[in-house]
Each structure stands twice: as C-alpha cells, then as structure tokens.
C-alpha cells in the first residue's frame, strides 16, 4: 500500500477477501478505478486501443502495464496492441523501464510498479474465486502508482463483485 492510491488499496483488500491480513492504510488519494465489461473481444480491444493511445498522448512519460493472467492472454492482447507506439511484449522479465506500454503477465510484474495498470482479462474465467486467483489479481492490481483499469469480456471476476467502484476514496 505504500505505492498505491486509496482506491487501489481498497480494491486490493477487497480482492484478497478472507486472505487479507491487517493491511496498512494507503496515504494518497487517487483516481477512481475504471471498470468496463464487453460482450465481444473485438469491441474490448478497440476501446482499449483508443484508451491507450489517448493515455500515451496525455501522459507521454507514463509507464503503462497491460497485465494479463498468463502468456496466452498476453500474446493475444499484444497481437492487437502491437501497432501502438512504444508497445512491447515482455514475457521474459526484460522490462526497459521507459515510457510506453508493456504487455505482460502477473508473474513478470511481481515487485515492480507502473504509473498505470490495465488488467484486460479481469473475468470470472481467468480470475475465479480461488486463493490462487485472489493472490494473482491482488499482485496485478497493486502494481499501479496512479490508476488501475479492469476490463472483462464476458462476466467480471467474482473477486471484484460488491466492490463500490463509484466510491470516492479520499
């Protein structure tokens, strides 16, 4: 919680659910978490591409991580995003730590931080209600320093059900 803004810290605690121990309170206010559900992969990727292009334009020095649960998801998403300027597929830990978009996996990001984190597979399929999924989604969410985005094609993960995304955490 030292790196995360309050909305992200609250979501992280919610995701851990019964696994959450006493966690320190986040010190900084932050932007709300964005969440979006789509019925079609193509629609989600179109919106994600537009959102990333806008984010890179408005925040040209930002580090952006698109954190997927696994390599298959990362490769599939990167195949759509690879034409965006400064986008990289990182599956071997070889982060360049420069502005742009890193498409990667949860496993690759443990211990790292990024200005913005987008979790494009925040679905019930990829993150079902299990201790392992709770830990993985917690790691993904807590990599962000500024803002986190959750995207689901289909049903949103049950690990975020009941979380008040509209609440202001100040």
């Amino acid at each position: 919680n030292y790196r995360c803004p309050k909305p992200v810290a609250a979501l992280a605690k919610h995701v851990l659910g019964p696994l959450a121990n006493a966690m320190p309170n986040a010190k900084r206010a932050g932007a709300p978490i964005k969440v979006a559900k789509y019925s079609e992969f193509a629609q989600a990727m179109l919106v994600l591409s537009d959102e990333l292009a806008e984010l890179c334009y408005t925040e040209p020095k930002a580090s952006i991580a698109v954190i997927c649960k696994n390599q298959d998801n990362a490769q599939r998403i990167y195949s759509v995003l690879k034409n965006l300027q400064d986008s990289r597929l990182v599956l071997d830990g070889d982060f360049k730590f420069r502005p742009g978009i890193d498409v990667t996996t949860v496993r690759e990001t443990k211990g790292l931080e990024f200005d913005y984190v987008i979790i494009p597979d925040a679905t019930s399929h990829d993150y079902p209600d299990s201790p392992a999924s709770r830990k993985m989604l917690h790691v993904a969410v807590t990599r962000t320093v500024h803002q986190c985005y959750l995207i689901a094609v289909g049903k949103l993960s049950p690990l975020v059900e009941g979380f008040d995304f509209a609440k202001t955490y100040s």
Side-chain angles (χ1 to χ4, degrees):
N1 286 341
Y2 67 91
R3 87 168 57 93
C4 300
K6 289 179 181 181
V8 172
L11 177 61
K13 186 174 183 177
H14 182 89
V15 164
L16 281 178
L19 302 179
N21 294 322
M23 297 171 72
N25 291 328
K27 305 289 185 218
R28 314 183 277 114
I33 295 163
K34 291 188 175 183
V35 61
K37 295 184 286 185
Y38 301 95
S39 58
E40 300 293 329
F41 179 77
Q43 180 187 22
M45 292 303 100
L46 179 63
V47 173
L48 176 58
S49 295
D50 288 347
E51 190 85 30
L52 285 168
E54 177 68 20
L55 191 54
C56 287
Y57 177 76
T58 59
E59 299 275 349
K61 295 184 182 201
S63 60
I64 304 163
V66 178
I67 303 176
C68 303
K69 183 175 181 188
N70 57 49
Q71 286 191 3
D72 289 343
N73 290 2
Q75 289 171 330
R76 182 175 186 211
I77 297 220
Y78 181 72
S79 72
V80 175
L81 303 178
K82 67 184 176 187
N83 293 325
L84 290 175
Q85 183 176 354
D86 295 322
S87 63
R88 303 168 287 272
L89 178 63
V90 181
L91 298 177
D92 57 1
D94 189 24
F95 289 92
K96 302 300 182 202
F97 300 105
R98 64 177 193 244
I101 304 161
D102 291 316
V103 180
T104 189
T105 65
V106 176
R107 185 161 280 121
E108 297 292 327
T109 62
K110 195 165 185 175
L112 302 179
E113 61 184 45
F114 302 88
D115 294 318
Y116 296 90
V117 165
I118 298 164
I119 302 166
D121 54 2
T123 65
S124 59
H125 172 76
D126 286 298
Y127 294 98
D129 191 350
S130 71
S133 288
R134 286 182 183 281
K135 291 174 185 174
M136 287 187 80
L137 189 55
H138 177 267
V139 168
V141 166
T142 58
R143 301 305 91 203
T144 190
V145 174
H146 295 302
Q147 190 171 23
C148 183
Y149 299 63
L150 300 176
I151 298 171
V153 176
K155 190 171 185 207
L156 196 60
S157 170
L159 304 180
V160 299
E161 283 180 4
F163 184 76
D164 187 356
F165 291 99
K167 182 177 177 183
T168 304
Y169 296 87
S170 51

